[in-house]
Amino acid sequence: MYSADNALPHARLGLVVGKKCARRANQRNYMKRRLREWFRLNRHRLPNKDFIVQVRQKFTRADFPEVEKKLQRLLIK
């Protein structure tokens, strides 16, 4: 994950999910969709920064609660 300050009154998100992480497009799209939804629901709690999240390990529906905990620990102060 990378972050940088921005001059906007809200946070922004960038996602990178490569083919090395998940071969099939539907798996990559699922991960991006879940991350975008988490960001949308927690945007008001985030600082005004640009965040780039690079997924390096594939996760499934069963693994997402653990991913949520990691995101909260990294992004929310």
Side-chain angles (χ1 to χ4, degrees):
M1 191 201 81
Y2 305 98
S3 67
D5 293 330
N6 70 18
L8 301 173
H10 55 83
R12 295 189 297 180
L13 176 68
L15 295 171
V16 179
V17 182
K19 281 188 180 180
K20 285 185 180 180
C21 176
R23 287 275 178 214
R24 302 188 57 98
N26 63 340
Q27 295 168 342
R28 293 191 305 273
N29 290 336
Y30 170 78
M31 289 188 276
K32 289 190 277 189
R33 200 169 41 246
R34 290 300 303 256
L35 291 171
R36 270 192 229 107
E37 180 66 11
W38 182 90
F39 185 80
R40 184 185 70 81
L41 294 174
N42 293 287
R43 179 181 267 180
H44 65 280
R45 298 168 57 192
L46 298 172
N48 298 338
K49 290 189 172 192
D50 294 336
F51 296 102
I52 299 175
V53 178
Q54 183 175 9
V55 179
R56 295 193 180 186
Q57 267 188 320
K58 179 178 158 182
F59 63 85
T60 60
R61 183 176 294 163
D63 302 328
F64 193 68
E66 184 180 327
V67 173
E68 281 183 313
K69 288 178 188 175
K70 288 181 183 179
L71 284 171
Q72 286 183 354
R73 192 173 44 229
L74 288 172
L75 300 179
I76 298 174
K77 293 181 179 180

Coordinates of all heavy atoms in Angstrom, one line a residue:
M1 N 0.8 -1.2 0.0 CA 0.0 0.0 0.0 C 0.9 1.2 0.0 O 1.9 1.3 0.7 CB -0.9 0.0 1.2 CG -1.9 1.1 1.1 SD -2.7 1.5 2.7 CE -1.4 2.6 3.2
Y2 N 0.5 2.2 -0.8 CA 1.2 3.5 -0.8 C 0.2 4.6 -0.5 O -1.0 4.4 -0.8 CB 1.7 3.7 -2.2 CG 2.6 2.6 -2.7 CD1 2.2 1.6 -3.6 CD2 4.0 2.6 -2.3 CE1 3.0 0.6 -4.0 CE2 4.8 1.6 -2.7 CZ 4.3 0.6 -3.6 OH 5.2 -0.4 -4.0
S3 N 0.6 5.7 0.0 CA -0.3 6.8 0.2 C 0.5 8.1 0.0 O 1.7 8.2 0.1 CB -0.8 6.8 1.6 OG 0.2 7.0 2.6
A4 N -0.3 9.1 -0.4 CA 0.3 10.5 -0.6 C -0.8 11.5 -0.3 O -2.0 11.2 -0.4 CB 0.7 10.6 -2.1
D5 N -0.3 12.7 0.2 CA -1.3 13.7 0.5 C -1.9 14.2 -0.8 O -1.3 14.2 -1.8 CB -0.6 14.9 1.2 CG -0.1 14.5 2.6 OD1 -0.7 13.6 3.2 OD2 1.0 15.0 3.0
N6 N -3.2 14.7 -0.6 CA -3.8 15.4 -1.7 C -4.5 16.6 -1.2 O -4.7 16.8 0.0 CB -4.8 14.5 -2.5 CG -6.0 14.2 -1.7 OD1 -6.4 14.8 -0.7 ND2 -6.7 13.1 -2.1
A7 N -4.8 17.6 -2.1 CA -5.4 18.8 -1.7 C -6.9 18.8 -1.7 O -7.5 19.8 -1.6 CB -4.9 19.9 -2.6
L8 N -7.5 17.6 -1.9 CA -8.9 17.5 -2.0 C -9.5 17.3 -0.6 O -8.8 16.8 0.3 CB -9.3 16.3 -3.0 CG -8.7 16.5 -4.4 CD1 -9.0 15.2 -5.1 CD2 -9.4 17.6 -5.1
P9 N -10.8 17.5 -0.5 CA -11.4 17.3 0.8 C -11.9 15.9 1.1 O -12.6 15.6 2.0 CB -12.6 18.3 0.8 CG -13.0 18.3 -0.7 CD -11.7 18.2 -1.4
H10 N -11.4 14.9 0.3 CA -11.8 13.5 0.5 C -10.6 12.6 0.1 O -9.6 13.0 -0.6 CB -13.0 13.2 -0.4 CG -12.9 13.5 -1.8 ND1 -12.2 12.7 -2.7 CD2 -13.2 14.6 -2.5 CE1 -12.3 13.2 -3.9 NE2 -12.8 14.4 -3.8
A11 N -10.7 11.4 0.5 CA -9.7 10.4 0.1 C -10.0 9.8 -1.3 O -11.2 9.8 -1.7 CB -9.7 9.3 1.2
R12 N -9.0 9.3 -1.9 CA -9.1 8.6 -3.2 C -8.4 7.3 -3.2 O -7.5 7.1 -2.4 CB -8.6 9.5 -4.4 CG -9.3 10.8 -4.6 CD -8.9 11.5 -5.8 NE -7.4 11.8 -5.8 CZ -6.8 12.5 -6.7 NH1 -7.5 12.8 -7.8 NH2 -5.5 12.8 -6.6
L13 N -8.9 6.3 -4.0 CA -8.4 5.0 -4.0 C -7.9 4.6 -5.4 O -8.6 4.9 -6.4 CB -9.5 4.0 -3.6 CG -9.2 2.5 -3.6 CD1 -8.1 2.2 -2.5 CD2 -10.4 1.7 -3.3
G14 N -6.8 3.9 -5.4 CA -6.3 3.3 -6.7 C -6.0 1.8 -6.3 O -5.5 1.5 -5.3
L15 N -6.3 0.9 -7.3 CA -6.2 -0.5 -7.0 C -5.3 -1.1 -8.1 O -5.4 -0.8 -9.3 CB -7.5 -1.2 -7.0 CG -8.5 -0.8 -5.9 CD1 -9.9 -1.4 -6.2 CD2 -8.0 -1.3 -4.6
V16 N -4.5 -2.1 -7.7 CA -3.6 -2.9 -8.6 C -3.8 -4.3 -8.2 O -3.4 -4.7 -7.1 CB -2.2 -2.4 -8.5 CG1 -1.3 -3.3 -9.4 CG2 -2.0 -1.0 -8.7
V17 N -4.3 -5.1 -9.1 CA -4.4 -6.6 -8.9 C -3.9 -7.2 -10.2 O -4.5 -7.2 -11.2 CB -5.9 -7.0 -8.7 CG1 -5.9 -8.5 -8.4 CG2 -6.5 -6.2 -7.5
G18 N -2.7 -7.7 -10.1 CA -2.0 -8.3 -11.3 C -2.4 -9.7 -11.6 O -3.0 -10.4 -10.7
K19 N -2.0 -10.2 -12.7 CA -2.3 -11.5 -13.1 C -1.5 -12.5 -12.3 O -1.8 -13.7 -12.2 CB -1.9 -11.7 -14.6 CG -3.0 -11.2 -15.5 CD -2.7 -11.6 -17.0 CE -3.8 -11.1 -17.9 NZ -3.5 -11.5 -19.3
K20 N -0.3 -12.1 -11.8 CA 0.4 -13.0 -10.9 C -0.3 -13.4 -9.7 O -0.2 -14.5 -9.1 CB 1.8 -12.4 -10.5 CG 2.8 -12.4 -11.7 CD 4.1 -11.9 -11.2 CE 5.1 -11.9 -12.3 NZ 6.4 -11.4 -11.8
C21 N -1.2 -12.5 -9.2 CA -1.9 -12.7 -8.0 C -3.1 -13.6 -8.3 O -3.3 -14.5 -7.5 CB -2.4 -11.3 -7.5 SG -3.5 -11.4 -6.1
A22 N -3.9 -13.3 -9.3 CA -5.0 -14.2 -9.7 C -5.1 -14.3 -11.2 O -5.2 -13.3 -11.9 CB -6.3 -13.6 -9.1
R23 N -5.0 -15.5 -11.7 CA -5.0 -15.7 -13.2 C -6.3 -15.3 -13.9 O -6.2 -14.7 -14.9 CB -4.7 -17.1 -13.5 CG -3.3 -17.5 -13.2 CD -2.4 -17.2 -14.4 NE -1.0 -17.5 -14.1 CZ 0.0 -16.8 -14.6 NH1 -0.2 -15.8 -15.3 NH2 1.2 -17.2 -14.3
R24 N -7.4 -15.6 -13.3 CA -8.7 -15.3 -13.9 C -9.2 -13.9 -13.7 O -9.1 -13.4 -12.6 CB -9.7 -16.4 -13.5 CG -9.1 -17.8 -13.8 CD -10.1 -18.9 -13.5 NE -11.4 -18.6 -14.3 CZ -11.7 -19.2 -15.4 NH1 -10.8 -20.1 -16.0 NH2 -12.8 -19.0 -16.1
A25 N -9.7 -13.3 -14.7 CA -10.2 -12.0 -14.6 C -11.4 -11.8 -13.6 O -11.5 -10.8 -12.9 CB -10.7 -11.5 -16.0
N26 N -12.2 -12.8 -13.5 CA -13.3 -12.7 -12.6 C -12.8 -12.7 -11.1 O -13.4 -12.1 -10.3 CB -14.4 -13.8 -12.8 CG -13.8 -15.2 -12.5 OD1 -12.6 -15.4 -12.6 ND2 -14.7 -16.2 -12.3
Q27 N -11.7 -13.4 -10.8 CA -11.1 -13.4 -9.5 C -10.5 -12.0 -9.2 O -10.7 -11.4 -8.1 CB -10.1 -14.4 -9.4 CG -10.6 -15.8 -9.4 CD -9.5 -16.9 -9.6 OE1 -8.4 -16.5 -10.0 NE2 -9.9 -18.1 -9.3
R28 N -9.8 -11.4 -10.2 CA -9.3 -10.1 -10.0 C -10.4 -9.0 -9.8 O -10.3 -8.2 -8.9 CB -8.4 -9.7 -11.2 CG -7.1 -10.6 -11.3 CD -6.2 -10.0 -12.3 NE -6.7 -9.8 -13.6 CZ -6.7 -10.7 -14.6 NH1 -6.2 -11.9 -14.3 NH2 -7.2 -10.4 -15.8
N29 N -11.4 -9.1 -10.6 CA -12.5 -8.2 -10.5 C -13.3 -8.3 -9.2 O -13.7 -7.3 -8.6 CB -13.5 -8.4 -11.7 CG -12.9 -8.0 -13.0 OD1 -12.0 -7.2 -13.0 ND2 -13.5 -8.5 -14.1
Y30 N -13.4 -9.6 -8.7 CA -14.0 -9.8 -7.4 C -13.2 -9.0 -6.3 O -13.8 -8.3 -5.4 CB -14.1 -11.3 -7.0 CG -14.5 -11.5 -5.6 CD1 -15.9 -11.4 -5.2 CD2 -13.6 -11.9 -4.7 CE1 -16.3 -11.6 -3.9 CE2 -14.0 -12.1 -3.3 CZ -15.3 -11.9 -3.0 OH -15.7 -12.1 -1.7
M31 N -11.9 -9.2 -6.3 CA -11.1 -8.5 -5.3 C -11.2 -7.0 -5.4 O -11.4 -6.3 -4.3 CB -9.6 -9.0 -5.4 CG -9.4 -10.4 -5.0 SD -7.7 -10.9 -5.0 CE -7.5 -11.3 -6.7
K32 N -11.2 -6.5 -6.6 CA -11.3 -5.0 -6.7 C -12.7 -4.5 -6.3 O -12.8 -3.5 -5.6 CB -11.0 -4.6 -8.2 CG -9.6 -4.8 -8.6 CD -9.3 -4.2 -9.9 CE -9.7 -5.1 -11.0 NZ -9.2 -4.6 -12.3
R33 N -13.7 -5.3 -6.6 CA -15.0 -4.9 -6.2 C -15.2 -4.9 -4.7 O -15.8 -3.9 -4.2 CB -16.0 -5.9 -6.8 CG -17.4 -5.5 -6.9 CD -18.3 -6.4 -7.8 NE -18.1 -7.8 -7.6 CZ -17.6 -8.6 -8.5 NH1 -17.3 -8.2 -9.7 NH2 -17.5 -9.9 -8.2
R34 N -14.7 -5.9 -4.0 CA -14.8 -5.9 -2.5 C -14.0 -4.8 -1.9 O -14.4 -4.1 -0.9 CB -14.3 -7.2 -2.0 CG -15.1 -8.4 -2.3 CD -16.6 -8.3 -1.7 NE -16.6 -8.1 -0.3 CZ -17.0 -9.0 0.6 NH1 -17.2 -10.2 0.2 NH2 -17.0 -8.7 1.8
L35 N -12.8 -4.5 -2.4 CA -12.0 -3.4 -1.9 C -12.6 -2.0 -2.1 O -12.6 -1.2 -1.2 CB -10.6 -3.4 -2.5 CG -9.7 -4.6 -2.1 CD1 -8.5 -4.7 -2.9 CD2 -9.4 -4.6 -0.6
R36 N -13.2 -1.8 -3.3 CA -13.9 -0.6 -3.6 C -15.1 -0.4 -2.7 O -15.3 0.7 -2.2 CB -14.4 -0.5 -5.0 CG -13.4 0.0 -6.0 CD -14.1 0.3 -7.3 NE -13.2 -0.2 -8.3 CZ -13.5 -1.3 -9.1 NH1 -14.6 -2.0 -8.9 NH2 -12.6 -1.8 -9.9
E37 N -15.8 -1.4 -2.4 CA -17.0 -1.3 -1.5 C -16.5 -1.0 -0.1 O -17.2 -0.2 0.6 CB -17.8 -2.6 -1.5 CG -19.0 -2.6 -0.7 CD -20.1 -1.7 -1.1 OE1 -20.0 -1.1 -2.2 OE2 -21.0 -1.5 -0.3
W38 N -15.5 -1.6 0.4 CA -15.0 -1.3 1.7 C -14.5 0.1 1.8 O -14.9 0.8 2.8 CB -13.8 -2.2 2.1 CG -13.2 -1.9 3.4 CD1 -13.6 -2.5 4.6 CD2 -12.3 -1.0 3.8 NE1 -13.0 -2.0 5.6 CE2 -12.1 -1.0 5.2 CE3 -11.5 0.0 3.1 CZ2 -11.2 -0.2 5.9 CZ3 -10.6 0.8 3.7 CH2 -10.5 0.7 5.1
F39 N -13.9 0.6 0.8 CA -13.4 2.0 0.7 C -14.6 2.9 0.7 O -14.6 4.0 1.4 CB -12.6 2.3 -0.5 CG -12.0 3.6 -0.6 CD1 -10.9 3.9 0.1 CD2 -12.6 4.6 -1.4 CE1 -10.3 5.2 0.1 CE2 -12.0 5.9 -1.5 CZ -10.9 6.2 -0.7
R40 N -15.7 2.6 0.0 CA -16.9 3.5 -0.1 C -17.5 3.6 1.3 O -17.9 4.7 1.7 CB -17.8 2.9 -1.1 CG -19.1 3.8 -1.3 CD -20.1 3.1 -2.2 NE -20.7 1.9 -1.6 CZ -21.7 2.0 -0.8 NH1 -22.2 3.1 -0.4 NH2 -22.2 0.9 -0.3
L41 N -17.6 2.5 2.0 CA -18.3 2.5 3.3 C -17.4 3.1 4.4 O -18.0 3.6 5.4 CB -18.6 1.0 3.7 CG -19.6 0.3 2.9 CD1 -19.7 -1.2 3.3 CD2 -20.9 1.0 2.9
N42 N -16.1 3.2 4.2 CA -15.2 3.8 5.2 C -14.6 5.1 4.8 O -13.7 5.6 5.5 CB -14.2 2.8 5.6 CG -14.7 1.6 6.3 OD1 -15.1 1.7 7.4 ND2 -14.8 0.5 5.6
R43 N -15.0 5.7 3.7 CA -14.4 6.9 3.2 C -14.4 8.0 4.2 O -13.5 8.8 4.3 CB -15.1 7.3 1.9 CG -14.5 8.6 1.3 CD -15.2 8.9 0.1 NE -14.5 8.3 -1.1 CZ -14.8 8.4 -2.3 NH1 -15.9 9.0 -2.6 NH2 -14.1 7.9 -3.3
H44 N -15.5 8.1 4.9 CA -15.6 9.2 5.9 C -14.6 9.1 7.1 O -14.4 10.1 7.7 CB -17.1 9.3 6.4 CG -17.4 8.1 7.2 ND1 -17.8 6.9 6.6 CD2 -17.5 7.9 8.6 CE1 -18.1 6.0 7.6 NE2 -17.9 6.6 8.8
R45 N -14.1 7.9 7.3 CA -13.2 7.7 8.4 C -11.7 7.9 8.0 O -10.8 7.9 8.8 CB -13.4 6.3 9.0 CG -14.8 6.2 9.6 CD -15.1 4.7 9.9 NE -14.1 4.1 10.8 CZ -14.1 2.8 11.1 NH1 -14.9 2.0 10.5 NH2 -13.2 2.4 11.9
L46 N -11.5 8.0 6.7 CA -10.1 8.0 6.2 C -9.6 9.5 6.1 O -10.3 10.4 5.9 CB -10.1 7.4 4.8 CG -10.4 5.9 4.7 CD1 -10.6 5.5 3.3 CD2 -9.5 5.1 5.5
P47 N -8.3 9.6 6.3 CA -7.7 11.0 6.1 C -7.7 11.4 4.6 O -7.9 10.5 3.7 CB -6.2 10.8 6.6 CG -6.0 9.3 6.4 CD -7.3 8.6 6.6
N48 N -7.5 12.7 4.3 CA -7.6 13.2 2.9 C -6.3 12.8 2.2 O -5.4 13.7 2.2 CB -7.9 14.7 2.9 CG -9.2 15.0 3.6 OD1 -10.1 14.1 3.6 ND2 -9.3 16.2 4.0
K49 N -6.2 11.7 1.7 CA -5.0 11.2 1.0 C -5.4 10.4 -0.2 O -6.5 10.0 -0.3 CB -4.1 10.3 2.0 CG -3.5 11.0 3.1 CD -2.5 10.1 3.8 CE -1.7 10.9 4.8 NZ -0.6 10.1 5.3
D50 N -4.4 10.2 -1.0 CA -4.6 9.2 -2.2 C -4.0 7.9 -1.7 O -2.8 7.9 -1.2 CB -3.8 9.7 -3.4 CG -4.4 11.0 -4.0 OD1 -5.6 11.2 -3.7 OD2 -3.7 11.7 -4.6
F51 N -4.7 6.8 -1.8 CA -4.2 5.5 -1.4 C -4.1 4.6 -2.7 O -5.1 4.6 -3.5 CB -5.2 4.8 -0.4 CG -5.3 5.6 0.9 CD1 -6.4 6.4 1.1 CD2 -4.3 5.5 1.8 CE1 -6.5 7.1 2.3 CE2 -4.4 6.2 3.0 CZ -5.5 7.0 3.3
I52 N -3.1 3.9 -2.8 CA -2.9 2.9 -3.8 C -2.7 1.6 -3.1 O -1.7 1.4 -2.4 CB -1.7 3.2 -4.8 CG1 -1.9 4.5 -5.4 CG2 -1.6 2.1 -5.8 CD1 -0.8 5.0 -6.3
V53 N -3.6 0.6 -3.4 CA -3.5 -0.7 -2.7 C -3.1 -1.7 -3.8 O -3.8 -1.8 -4.8 CB -4.9 -1.1 -2.1 CG1 -4.9 -2.5 -1.5 CG2 -5.3 -0.1 -1.1
Q54 N -2.0 -2.4 -3.6 CA -1.6 -3.4 -4.5 C -1.8 -4.7 -3.8 O -1.2 -5.0 -2.8 CB -0.1 -3.2 -4.8 CG 0.4 -4.2 -5.8 CD 1.9 -3.9 -6.2 OE1 2.5 -3.0 -5.7 NE2 2.3 -4.5 -7.2
V55 N -2.6 -5.5 -4.4 CA -3.0 -6.9 -3.9 C -1.9 -7.8 -4.3 O -1.6 -7.9 -5.5 CB -4.3 -7.4 -4.4 CG1 -4.6 -8.7 -3.8 CG2 -5.4 -6.4 -4.0
R56 N -1.3 -8.5 -3.4 CA -0.2 -9.4 -3.7 C -0.6 -10.9 -3.5 O 0.1 -11.8 -3.9 CB 1.1 -9.1 -2.9 CG 1.6 -7.7 -3.3 CD 2.9 -7.5 -2.8 NE 3.4 -6.1 -3.3 CZ 4.6 -5.7 -3.1 NH1 5.4 -6.4 -2.4 NH2 4.9 -4.5 -3.5
Q57 N -1.6 -11.1 -2.7 CA -2.1 -12.4 -2.4 C -3.6 -12.5 -2.7 O -4.3 -11.6 -2.4 CB -1.9 -12.8 -0.9 CG -0.6 -13.5 -0.6 CD -0.6 -14.0 0.8 OE1 -1.1 -13.3 1.7 NE2 -0.1 -15.2 1.0
K58 N -3.9 -13.6 -3.4 CA -5.3 -13.8 -3.7 C -6.1 -14.0 -2.5 O -5.7 -14.7 -1.5 CB -5.4 -15.0 -4.6 CG -6.8 -15.4 -5.1 CD -6.7 -16.6 -6.0 CE -8.0 -17.3 -6.0 NZ -7.9 -18.5 -6.9
F59 N -7.4 -13.4 -2.4 CA -8.3 -13.7 -1.3 C -9.6 -14.0 -1.8 O -10.0 -13.7 -2.9 CB -8.3 -12.5 -0.3 CG -8.8 -11.2 -0.9 CD1 -10.2 -11.0 -0.9 CD2 -8.0 -10.3 -1.3 CE1 -10.7 -9.8 -1.4 CE2 -8.4 -9.1 -1.8 CZ -9.8 -8.8 -1.9
T60 N -10.4 -14.8 -1.0 CA -11.7 -15.2 -1.4 C -12.7 -14.7 -0.4 O -12.3 -13.9 0.5 CB -11.8 -16.8 -1.4 OG1 -11.5 -17.2 -0.1 CG2 -10.8 -17.4 -2.4
R61 N -13.9 -15.0 -0.6 CA -15.0 -14.6 0.3 C -14.7 -14.9 1.8 O -14.9 -14.1 2.7 CB -16.3 -15.2 -0.1 CG -17.5 -14.7 0.7 CD -18.8 -15.2 0.1 NE -19.0 -14.7 -1.2 CZ -19.8 -15.2 -2.1 NH1 -20.5 -16.3 -1.7 NH2 -20.0 -14.7 -3.2
A62 N -14.2 -16.1 2.0 CA -13.9 -16.6 3.4 C -12.7 -15.8 4.0 O -12.7 -15.6 5.2 CB -13.5 -18.0 3.3
D63 N -11.8 -15.3 3.1 CA -10.6 -14.6 3.6 C -10.9 -13.1 3.8 O -10.0 -12.4 4.4 CB -9.5 -14.7 2.7 CG -9.1 -16.2 2.4 OD1 -9.2 -17.0 3.3 OD2 -8.6 -16.4 1.3
F64 N -12.0 -12.5 3.3 CA -12.2 -11.1 3.3 C -12.2 -10.4 4.7 O -11.7 -9.3 4.9 CB -13.4 -10.7 2.5 CG -13.4 -9.2 2.2 CD1 -12.5 -8.6 1.4 CD2 -14.4 -8.4 2.8 CE1 -12.5 -7.2 1.2 CE2 -14.4 -7.0 2.6 CZ -13.4 -6.5 1.8
P65 N -12.8 -11.1 5.7 CA -12.8 -10.5 7.1 C -11.4 -10.2 7.6 O -11.1 -9.1 8.2 CB -13.5 -11.5 8.0 CG -14.4 -12.2 7.1 CD -13.7 -12.3 5.7
E66 N -10.4 -11.0 7.3 CA -9.0 -10.8 7.6 C -8.5 -9.6 6.8 O -7.7 -8.8 7.4 CB -8.2 -12.1 7.4 CG -6.8 -11.9 7.8 CD -6.0 -13.2 7.5 OE1 -6.6 -14.3 7.6 OE2 -4.8 -13.1 7.2
V67 N -8.8 -9.5 5.6 CA -8.4 -8.4 4.7 C -8.9 -7.1 5.2 O -8.2 -6.1 5.3 CB -8.8 -8.7 3.2 CG1 -8.5 -7.5 2.4 CG2 -8.1 -9.9 2.7
E68 N -10.2 -7.1 5.7 CA -10.8 -5.9 6.2 C -10.0 -5.4 7.5 O -9.8 -4.2 7.6 CB -12.3 -6.2 6.6 CG -13.2 -6.1 5.5 CD -14.6 -6.3 6.0 OE1 -14.9 -7.2 6.8 OE2 -15.5 -5.5 5.6
K69 N -9.7 -6.4 8.3 CA -8.9 -6.0 9.5 C -7.6 -5.4 9.2 O -7.2 -4.4 9.8 CB -8.7 -7.2 10.4 CG -9.9 -7.7 11.1 CD -9.6 -9.0 11.9 CE -10.9 -9.6 12.4 NZ -10.6 -10.8 13.1
K70 N -6.9 -5.9 8.2 CA -5.6 -5.3 7.7 C -5.8 -4.0 7.1 O -5.0 -3.0 7.4 CB -5.0 -6.3 6.7 CG -4.4 -7.5 7.2 CD -3.8 -8.4 6.2 CE -3.3 -9.7 6.7 NZ -2.6 -10.5 5.7
L71 N -6.9 -3.8 6.4 CA -7.1 -2.4 5.8 C -7.4 -1.4 6.9 O -6.9 -0.3 6.8 CB -8.3 -2.5 4.8 CG -8.0 -3.1 3.5 CD1 -9.4 -3.3 2.7 CD2 -7.1 -2.3 2.7
Q72 N -8.2 -1.8 7.9 CA -8.5 -0.9 9.0 C -7.2 -0.5 9.7 O -7.0 0.7 10.1 CB -9.5 -1.5 9.9 CG -10.9 -1.5 9.3 CD -11.9 -2.0 10.3 OE1 -11.6 -2.5 11.3 NE2 -13.2 -1.9 9.9
R73 N -6.4 -1.5 9.9 CA -5.1 -1.2 10.7 C -4.2 -0.3 9.9 O -3.6 0.6 10.4 CB -4.5 -2.5 11.0 CG -3.4 -2.4 12.0 CD -2.8 -3.8 12.4 NE -2.6 -4.7 11.3 CZ -3.1 -5.9 11.2 NH1 -3.7 -6.5 12.2 NH2 -2.9 -6.7 10.2
L74 N -4.2 -0.5 8.6 CA -3.3 0.3 7.7 C -3.8 1.7 7.4 O -3.1 2.7 7.4 CB -3.0 -0.4 6.4 CG -2.1 -1.6 6.5 CD1 -2.1 -2.3 5.1 CD2 -0.7 -1.2 6.8
L75 N -5.1 1.8 7.1 CA -5.6 3.1 6.6 C -6.3 4.0 7.6 O -6.2 5.2 7.5 CB -6.7 2.8 5.5 CG -6.1 2.0 4.3 CD1 -7.2 1.8 3.3 CD2 -5.0 2.8 3.6
I76 N -7.0 3.4 8.6 CA -7.7 4.2 9.6 C -6.8 4.4 10.8 O -6.4 3.5 11.4 CB -9.0 3.6 10.0 CG1 -9.9 3.4 8.7 CG2 -9.7 4.4 11.0 CD1 -11.2 2.6 9.0
K77 N -6.7 5.7 11.2 CA -5.8 6.0 12.3 C -6.6 5.9 13.6 O -7.7 6.3 13.7 CB -5.3 7.4 12.1 CG -4.3 7.5 11.0 CD -3.8 8.9 10.9 CE -2.8 9.0 9.7 NZ -2.2 10.2 9.6

